[in-house]
Structures are given as structure tokens and as C-alpha cells.
Amino acid sequence: MTFSVALPASLEDAEGIQYSVELVGPVEVLGRLDGTLRGSGRGQVLLTLRVPSDAHVGLLDVADVHFKTDDGRSYVVPIILRVPAVRSIRVLAPPMFQQLRQGDRVELTYRVENLGNTSERVRVEVDPPYGWVLRSSRTAIVPVEPFATRDVTFRVAVPVVAEGGEYQVGVRATRGVVEDSAVLAVATARLQVEPREILAPGLELRPFV
């Protein structure tokens, strides 16, 4: 972004004005950091700023622009940038579970990523297949700092009557406030259950020689 720093009104009558830019924050300033203001277009200093991608929301000190005149006067203009809030949540599911058996208990750990620059309080709710038993709470509230991650674990049990095949356990993330129910992200874990072994009662199998 391009930022304009105006010449202080108290220095407008000066004949010779030098400026220098002193960086005080993590923002990168491109171009010249010092020079002399001359002619009719000397009323401002144009600076190009590159804001870091991990800058947090709020006020950010960028630099101090020092103006000095030939007659000894000086003036400092601070540059303070207001970083807007960026909100973005992503949820990652665990890798696929394979060779599960009826009656197995499984821990599913989902990763909540805050890709934004402001703190979030996220409500994560799990949706197991019909007939599956949850061994943990259905919902979890997790605070996630900017550019940070938090893991959320849910425990489910494979029903003893479950058929073989692939099942899905989904979660959805919303903000942890009642009045905001908009879905921020979803993720789905996949579980592969082996076919049930059915043995007839009283039947004995003997190898034939």
C-alpha cells in the first residue's frame, strides 16, 4: 500500500527541507528512506509499505518520518497503521481409519486452524453415524489465537451390529457464541469397518485331510 506523509504546516515556509524515515515496526518500507523536498511538489512524502501477512489486528507502529530544515527546525511525524480484522477458520480431519472391528473405540482428533489475525472462540460439534455411540461430549469450545492451531478429540464406539463398509464422522465449526450460528468450516473423518464374522452356533469346522 502507498502511504502519504504531509509536510507539517509549521515547516511550509522553510527553504530547504530534508527528511529521513526511521523504521520502528515490522512493516517493510520500500523505496528511498531519505531525501530532500524541493519545488512545488514538496508538500508530501510518498512511502510504499508492505504489511506482514502475520500482522495482528489493531494499531501497528510503522515508522517515524523526521523533517529538518536548513535553519535548524525539526519535526517528527509518526506513521501508525490500523490493521483490519481478517477472520478465517479451517478444520482438518484425521487420516482414514482402516481395519476397524465391531465394538472398537476410536479417538478422532480434528485440527482447528486460525488463519486470521484475530483471536477466535470456536465451537466444534461432531455428527457421528446413526446408531454410533459417543464416548465424549458432542461439542467442544476451543479458543484459538491468531495463526495458531488447536486439536479437538472426540471418542466414538463402533456398534457391535455395524455392517462392514466405510463410515463418515463429520464436524462443523461455528463461533462460540449463541447469536452467531454461521458455519465457519466443516471436515469429515472416514472410517473403514471390516465385515462382521458370522458363526452359526454349535457348528464346528474341522480341516479335511
Side-chain angles (χ1 to χ4, degrees):
M1 61 177 296
T2 300
F3 199 89
S4 175
V5 182
L7 178 69
S10 60
L11 304 182
E12 289 181 351
D13 61 339
E15 294 297 330
I17 302 175
Q18 291 79 39
Y19 72 90
S20 61
V21 181
E22 179 184 353
L23 304 181
V24 296
V27 177
E28 183 181 358
V29 179
L30 307 178
R32 293 192 57 182
L33 298 182
D34 57 69
T36 302
L37 300 180
R38 301 182 183 277
S40 58
R42 70 173 189 170
Q44 60 184 359
V45 176
L46 295 178
L47 300 174
T48 301
L49 312 179
R50 179 179 292 165
V51 182
S53 60
D54 59 352
H56 290 202
V57 62
L59 300 179
L60 181 65
D61 288 333
V62 176
D64 290 333
V65 181
H66 296 259
F67 294 95
K68 293 183 180 180
T69 65
D70 291 343
D71 57 10
R73 287 179 289 171
S74 63
Y75 203 94
V76 179
V77 178
I79 300 177
I80 300 176
L81 183 66
R82 181 180 295 276
V83 180
V86 176
R87 289 187 161 184
S88 178
I89 294 295
R90 180 170 63 185
V91 180
L92 301 178
M96 183 176 181
F97 288 79
Q98 295 181 327
Q99 298 181 339
L100 295 176
R101 297 288 184 179
Q102 290 74 12
D104 285 351
R105 296 187 179 186
V106 186
E107 288 191 349
L108 303 174
T109 299
Y110 298 83
R111 174 153 295 180
V112 181
E113 296 183 342
N114 185 357
L115 306 178
N117 63 0
T118 183
S119 299
E120 294 280 9
R121 186 174 173 84
V122 181
R123 175 187 177 93
V124 184
E125 183 174 359
V126 66
D127 183 23
Y130 178 77
W132 287 46
V133 179
L134 273 175
R135 298 298 182 182
S136 60
S137 175
R138 180 176 292 271
T139 62
I141 305 293
V142 292
V144 192
E145 294 301 313
F147 313 108
T149 62
R150 287 288 300 271
D151 289 343
V152 182
T153 299
F154 297 99
R155 298 174 180 84
V156 297
V158 182
V160 294
V161 297
E163 299 293 337
E166 182 178 311
Y167 294 84
Q168 296 182 348
V169 181
V171 298
R172 63 178 178 269
T174 59
R175 290 203 167 84
V177 290
V178 177
E179 60 272 15
D180 189 351
S181 60
V183 177
L184 304 177
V186 296
T188 301
R190 300 163 58 199
L191 294 82
Q192 184 70 42
V193 178
E194 294 295 308
R196 286 190 296 156
E197 296 181 355
I198 302 177
L199 297 177
L203 180 63
E204 184 178 358
L205 301 179
R206 296 176 178 271
F208 177 78
V209 180

